[in-house]
């Protein structure tokens, strides 16, 4: 059998030092061939045409044209898997989410300092995401123009308001856009929603605030003791584990620092195991696009406790990892296209309320 050729990678960053660090670090991976670098989007476009890379790493904030505007122009003409390399500034966080909306598949945070441990960890994460990105078909972006503005909520028949019901959503790679697609279509009367999206500390508040500006429901980064209630969405903060606890007749979240579980903090597994224990059949479980298997055992526990659970189908998932495992292990009973997920969840909640 012929050996698989290395992934051809083009690195785009305005910093010569960063280009050197990324080129040297990623070139050590035998599965990646750095075919070129570019210091700005204009140079990058020429090299994409010339070198035909499989994957692009793209800086978020650059002079002359930022990464988002570049993606908006690039993807309809030359669809290519893109991993953003983001700084941890507030403006960088916002632009990162704009970039995901414009077609980027994932992002990696630049370390706060050039210490060896931080760089090593960042390069390992980036190489993993580059390899993952190379497997994703982005051809649907060809000729597409970015639609601005969120869709309105689905009009659903008599969704019963209840504090005794909880919708638990887990996601990873590709999840920021998938989550937006689902919860922007939930009506304000929806029971409380809790979300774990794999994301580092510092980005989850920006993510929640962005969703809040688009949704009928109120969205916030979860804080310890927050009540899960109708009309509210709680997003687990990066770097902390989120669990559901029952106090009397209400549900609340317990948000505390903790060790990674299944490699993640926050972890879908931690959240869903707590939902299975504390909420049982009054919950609905949703597994969206993501790499790995975080949450699959927790979703099975939810299903065993009587909670209806579904997962995103392969055709609409950026990465069919977590949904596939949730379905294979018996947690998710049905695979649902992303475009149908919101109404499917609304229908499931309505059946619980009947």
């Amino acid at each position: 059998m012929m050996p698989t050729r290395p992934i051809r990678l083009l690195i785009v960053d305005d910093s010569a030092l960063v280009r050197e660090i990324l080129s040297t670090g990623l070139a050590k991976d035998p599965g990646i061939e750095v075919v070129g670098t570019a210091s700005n989007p204009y140079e990058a476009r020429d090299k994409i045409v010339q070198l035909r890379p499989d994957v692009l790493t793209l800086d978020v904030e650059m002079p002359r044209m930022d990464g988002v505007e570049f993606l908006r122009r690039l993807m309809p003409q030359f669809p290519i898997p893109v991993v953003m390399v983001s700084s941890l500034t507030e403006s960088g966080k916002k632009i990162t989410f704009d970039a995901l909306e414009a077609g980027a598949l994932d992002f990696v945070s630049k370390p706060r300092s050039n210490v060896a441990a931080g760089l090593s960890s960042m390069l390992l994460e980036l190489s993993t995401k580059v390899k993952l990105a190379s497997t994703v078909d982005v051809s649907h972006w060809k000729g597409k123009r970015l639609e601005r503005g969120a869709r309105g909520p689905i009009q659903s028949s008599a969704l019963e308001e209840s504090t005794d019901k909880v919708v638990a959503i887990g996601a990873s790679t590709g999840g920021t856009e998938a989550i937006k697609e689902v919860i922007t279509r939930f009506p304000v009367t929806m029971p409380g929603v809790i979300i774990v999206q794999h994301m580092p500390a510092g980005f989850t508040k920006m993510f929640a605030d962005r969703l809040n500006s688009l949704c009928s429901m109120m969205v916030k980064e979860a804080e310890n003791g927050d009540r899960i209630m109708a009309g509210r969405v709680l997003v687990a903060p990066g770097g902390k584990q989120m669990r559901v606890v029952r106090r009397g007749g209400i549900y609340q979240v317990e948000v505390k620092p903790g060790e990674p579980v299944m490699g993640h903090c926050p972890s879908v597994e931690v959240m869903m195991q707590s939902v299975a224990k504390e909420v049982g059949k009054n919950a609905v479980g949703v597994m969206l696009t993501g790499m790995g298997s975080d949450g699959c055992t927790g979703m099975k526990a939810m299903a065993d406790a009587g909670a209806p659970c579904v997962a995103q189908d392969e055709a609409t998932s950026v990465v069919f990892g977590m949904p596939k495992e949730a379905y294979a292990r018996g947690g998710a009973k049905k695979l649902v296209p992303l475009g149908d997920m919101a109404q499917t969840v609304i229908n499931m909640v309505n059946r619980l309320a009947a």
Side-chain angles (χ1 to χ4, degrees):
M1 187 172 70
M2 293 290 293
T4 304
R5 70 169 177 83
I7 297 160
R8 294 171 57 80
L9 177 68
L10 177 66
I11 295 169
V12 185
D13 198 292
D14 64 307
S15 166
L17 176 61
V18 172
R19 293 197 302 274
E20 176 63 25
I21 290 171
L22 296 186
S23 297
T24 303
L26 294 174
K28 293 177 181 177
D29 190 318
I32 297 174
E33 178 189 1
V34 179
V35 294
T37 65
S39 61
N40 61 67
Y42 298 98
E43 183 183 355
R45 186 189 181 281
D46 291 342
K47 289 198 173 181
I48 289 170
V49 174
Q50 173 192 353
L51 300 172
R52 297 293 176 176
D54 300 314
V55 179
L56 191 73
T57 65
L58 180 62
D59 189 16
V60 175
E61 299 172 279
M62 292 181 291
R64 299 182 68 192
M65 184 190 300
D66 65 47
V68 178
E69 184 59 31
F70 178 54
L71 280 174
R72 287 188 174 131
R73 298 184 186 190
L74 172 72
M75 295 302 283
Q77 298 181 59
F78 300 101
I80 183 173
V82 175
V83 178
M84 304 303 293
V85 180
S86 170
S87 64
L88 289 175
T89 62
E90 286 298 317
S91 60
K93 294 173 193 173
K94 180 182 185 302
I95 292 174
T96 298
F97 288 114
D98 289 340
L100 292 171
E101 191 174 66
L105 294 174
D106 211 333
F107 71 94
V108 171
S109 299
K110 292 179 181 177
R112 292 180 182 272
S113 63
N114 285 336
V115 294
L119 281 175
S120 176
S121 175
M122 179 261 197
L123 288 168
L124 178 60
E125 180 184 5
L126 183 55
S127 65
T128 300
K129 290 184 175 181
V130 164
K131 291 176 182 177
L132 180 63
S134 73
T135 68
V136 178
D137 182 3
V138 294
S139 60
H140 63 281
W141 281 94
K142 184 72 173 177
K144 185 176 180 180
R145 291 294 181 267
L146 189 65
E147 297 177 7
R148 298 177 184 272
R151 300 180 183 181
I154 290 176
Q155 298 301 313
S156 181
S157 58
L159 182 63
E160 182 176 320
E161 186 173 327
S162 172
T163 56
D164 291 331
K165 302 189 176 49
V166 176
V167 177
I169 300 175
S172 186
T173 310
T176 55
E177 287 303 297
I179 289 168
K180 185 184 76 171
E181 170 70 18
V182 174
I183 69 169
T184 55
R185 305 180 77 189
F186 283 167
V188 71
T189 50
M190 196 75 176
V193 178
I194 54 175
I195 296 173
V196 167
Q197 161 71 45
H198 295 160
M199 192 175 286
F203 281 87
T204 41
K205 185 179 187 304
M206 181 74 71
F207 180 48
D209 290 345
R210 184 183 187 88
L211 291 174
N212 189 53
S213 70
L214 300 172
C215 294
S216 297
M217 299 180 76
M218 189 274 280
V219 186
K220 70 183 293 285
E221 184 183 54
E223 298 176 85
N224 192 45
D226 277 347
R227 181 176 176 181
I228 304 171
M229 55 192 294
R232 171 184 275 185
V233 179
L234 298 175
V235 177
K240 295 182 180 180
Q241 297 291 9
M242 183 173 74
R243 295 174 173 84
V244 177
V245 293
R246 181 158 193 153
R247 305 198 190 282
I250 67 171
Y251 297 113
Q252 294 175 289
V253 291
E254 181 182 271
V255 179
K256 295 180 178 179
E259 294 299 313
V261 173
M262 300 190 79
H264 299 284
C265 186
S267 166
V268 181
E269 183 69 22
V270 169
M271 176 186 70
M272 288 192 170
Q273 287 286 359
S274 72
V275 172
K277 178 182 177 182
E278 300 288 322
V279 188
K281 64 182 181 181
N282 285 323
V284 170
V286 181
M287 193 73 79
L288 298 178
T289 174
M291 178 173 60
S293 59
D294 183 28
C296 63
T297 305
M299 179 167 273
K300 179 62 165 61
M302 286 182 63
D304 290 345
C309 299
V310 294
Q312 188 175 347
D313 71 353
E314 183 173 7
T316 62
S317 292
V318 172
V319 180
F320 191 53
M322 288 160 56
K324 178 182 179 181
E325 289 299 316
Y327 183 72
R329 301 191 194 191
K333 304 302 182 184
K334 184 179 180 182
L335 295 174
V336 179
L338 181 61
D340 298 335
M341 187 63 79
Q343 188 62 64
T344 298
V345 174
I346 290 169
N347 293 343
M348 292 162 70
V349 170
N350 279 331
R351 285 194 289 272
L352 291 183

